[in-house]
Amino acid sequence: MLTDYQRKVLRILYNYKSGRRRFPTIHELTIKTGKHKADVLVALDILVSANYIHWENKSDTANIVILEGWERESEKPQLSKAPKTIKPNNTDYWTQY
């Protein structure tokens, strides 16, 4: 499961590439995420190890290949499904005024 920050970096890569036809530089990623260069590089390494991106030549972000642009369904946190309660209809105010 990706952290919020790793998911953010993945979405920035995906959206930047589709909008500008190139990947952001490391400096641009630091600006967009508000994190330091070391944090960005760690997030990119985790994305590589989790097979979301392929980045063989790490000299430039232009060498990144996106394998999956979204977090996998099986890795998303499951929301707790609480039983639905029936809420009273508040139309009485409008119909019996």
Side-chain angles (χ1 to χ4, degrees), residues 5 26 29-31 33-43:
Y5 179 65
I26 297 293
L29 281 171
T30 61
I31 292 170
T33 61
K35 299 281 186 171
H36 295 285
K37 180 179 177 180
D39 297 327
V40 171
L41 292 174
V42 167

Side-chain angles (χ1 to χ4, degrees), residues 17-52:
K17 176 69 174 178
S18 64
R20 298 190 180 178
R21 309 246 188 251
R22 69 174 179 88
F23 285 109
T25 63
I26 297 293
H27 179 70
E28 289 170 330
L29 281 171
T30 61
I31 292 170
K32 299 250 181 241
T33 61
K35 299 281 186 171
H36 295 285
K37 180 179 177 180
D39 297 327
V40 171
L41 292 174
V42 167
L44 289 172
D45 286 338
I46 291 171
L47 291 173
V48 168
S49 65
N51 290 323
Y52 283 98

Side-chain angles (χ1 to χ4, degrees), residues 55-71:
W55 192 25
E56 198 167 310
N57 181 2
K58 296 185 178 185
S59 64
D60 189 14
T61 56
N63 302 318
I64 292 176
V65 176
I66 295 180
L67 303 175
E68 292 185 59
W70 283 270
E71 188 173 22

